[in-house]
Amino acid sequence: MNKRQQLGFEHPVASDITPESVYRSRRAFLGTAGAAALAGLVPAAPARAAQDAPGALAARPDARYSTKEKLTPYGDVTSYNNFYEFGTSKSDPAHNAGSLRTRPWTVVVEGEVAKPRSFGIEDLLRLAPMEERIYRHRCVEAWSMVIPWTGYPLSHLLQAVQPTSRARYVEFVTLLDPAEMPGQNDAVLQWPYLEGLRMDEAMHPLALLTFGLYGKLLPNQNGAPVRMVLPWKYGFKSAKSIVRIRLVEQQPVTSWMRAVPNWYGFYSNVNPQVSPQNWSQAHERRIGQGSFGGLFTPQIPTRLFNGYGEQVAQLYKGMDLSKDF
Ligand code: MTE
């Protein structure tokens, strides 16, 4: 089986659980209520209340960092996933991720920091105000989605542990537990799943430490209870089910770099001009759009940095992105 087959190209199941119009009007209401609360017109709901409603995760919609593109239906976002710890085909994570226990959950933040610390997931949920950002999310396999994610910039967490001057990179480590993550019994990748960012990328306001989507806590298959989302990079940079964040001096070797070094570079910025993976990165198909449940989805052109160039291009000034892909 070649890598492309391993990546499991499949067509999505189009089950639209939350119609976009219903979701949008709820968001509009929350936005108004949030603004009114800030203005002192109505009392702000205590943060606990949001957690008490099963699965709900309150957040302030953040228009500044959100696209207005059509949302990918919730059913597609949660049934068409890459999460190799639960299998390599797109439908495997939704079927198999029920075995993952996400409470209690601890994230250790350590390495080149003045104040290393273990954060319980409840501490992390309270660390900073939750924001909702509607991001484009593009996979290297040339499909994309538009997802309302809930979280806050990773910079809030990194600042809390006080990086030292030697901290140049951030490494993300996913849970290692073959009993809960049956895919880890297959050597398709080296486990645990490792990802990394340069420090300035990690501190960028778009780099979202993510706890929810569509106003709810993350479903297991989307990386519960906490994952990264980096909208200008291919989806695989957005590590799921994170248990350890290490600030380090040397550039980390990520799982995908180790598995297929010619295909996957450290940066992995979305770039239509660079296609080391042997298939073109110039176009993408938006999951959940098009006829016959997404079978005939129109191709749309992919943009450099996934269209977030205005915000992130300066991070890569002077670099040759065809070499540092
Ligand atoms: N994180 C872990 N731990 N394991 C994985 O296999 N897959 C990556 C990324 N994070 C992956 C992971 C890839 S290839 C993609 S495209 C995105 O998760 C998919 O995220 P989504 O299923 O929420 O769309």
Side-chain angles (χ1 to χ4, degrees):
M1 191 194 275
N2 67 29
K3 271 282 168 244
R4 199 181 155 116
Q5 285 165 330
Q6 281 179 6
L7 287 170
F9 280 75
E10 279 178 8
H11 294 294
V13 186
S15 45
D16 183 356
I17 293 170
T18 306
E20 187 184 348
S21 54
V22 172
Y23 177 77
R24 289 255 186 217
S25 55
R26 186 160 55 83
R27 292 286 95 185
F29 168 75
L30 285 175
T32 317
L38 278 186
L41 298 176
V42 291
R48 277 292 316 152
Q51 306 310 319
D52 290 340
L57 183 58
R60 256 181 77 73
D62 185 336
R64 195 158 68 110
Y65 289 114
S66 291
T67 172
K68 291 193 167 60
E69 286 157 277
K70 189 173 160 47
L71 298 180
T72 305
Y74 182 85
D76 291 318
V77 174
T78 57
S79 66
Y80 190 82
N81 302 103
N82 276 331
F83 200 169
Y84 277 26
E85 285 85 339
F86 298 103
T88 54
S89 81
K90 297 288 171 284
S91 53
D92 285 345
H95 286 130
N96 301 333
S99 52
L100 176 66
R101 276 179 287 129
T102 58
R103 294 292 187 282
W105 190 275
T106 304
V107 178
V108 177
V109 190
E110 62 178 8
E112 291 296 344
V113 298
K115 298 197 162 164
R117 210 181 127 185
S118 281
F119 292 84
I121 188 67
E122 305 301 337
D123 301 331
L124 277 187
L125 283 162
R126 279 190 293 262
L127 187 80
M130 288 289 171
E131 297 170 25
E132 183 181 77
R133 311 258 187 100
I134 302 176
Y135 279 168
R136 283 184 292 277
H137 179 76
R138 195 211 190 267
C139 183
V140 75
E141 298 158 1
W143 51 266
S144 62
M145 301 194 188
V146 176
I147 303 176
W149 299 105
T150 303
Y152 50 75
L154 176 68
S155 62
H156 293 312
L157 175 60
L158 298 183
Q159 273 153 2
V161 294
Q162 299 179 10
T164 71
S165 58
R166 282 196 297 273
R168 294 183 55 226
Y169 296 91
V170 183
E171 184 180 47
F172 301 89
V173 184
T174 294
L175 179 70
L176 177 64
D177 187 336
E180 290 187 25
M181 295 180 143
Q184 289 180 337
N185 294 303
D186 292 332
V188 53
L189 286 177
Q190 267 185 36
W191 309 109
Y193 192 95
L194 302 178
E195 256 309 337
L197 295 173
R198 213 171 55 193
M199 196 61 190
D200 56 350
E201 298 179 314
M203 294 297 283
H204 193 280
L206 279 173
L208 201 69
L209 190 66
T210 302
F211 303 87
L213 59 84
Y214 263 101
K216 300 176 190 173
L217 291 168
L218 286 171
N220 286 359
Q221 61 267 33
N222 291 90
V226 56
R227 67 174 293 170
M228 284 302 299
V229 179
L230 300 144
W232 73 99
K233 290 179 181 277
Y234 292 114
F236 62 87
K237 292 299 281 184
S238 296
K240 294 174 163 179
S241 304
I242 294 168
V243 292
R244 196 172 289 274
I245 298 177
R246 258 189 228 128
L247 283 77
V248 292
E249 221 177 331
Q250 305 296 329
Q251 183 175 295
V253 180
T254 70
S255 287
W256 285 106
M257 287 166 74
R258 205 180 293 263
V260 203
N262 299 339
W263 285 17
Y264 300 108
F266 178 78
Y267 286 94
S268 307
N269 291 313
V270 175
N271 190 338
Q273 266 106 53
V274 178
S275 303
Q277 301 82 2
N278 276 350
W279 71 90
S280 170
Q281 294 300 328
H283 292 88
E284 65 202 53
R285 63 189 180 93
R286 203 47 61 87
I287 299 294
Q289 290 183 12
S291 47
F292 299 105
L295 210 57
F296 299 107
T297 313
Q299 300 276 307
I300 54 175
T302 288
R303 288 185 283 162
L304 181 61
F305 303 120
N306 206 17
Y308 294 90
E310 210 178 299
Q311 290 99 324
V312 301
Q314 85 282 356
L315 295 174
Y316 309 103
K317 235 171 120 181
M319 287 175 66
D320 179 349
L321 294 178
S322 63
K323 290 205 181 89
D324 281 317
F325 58 82

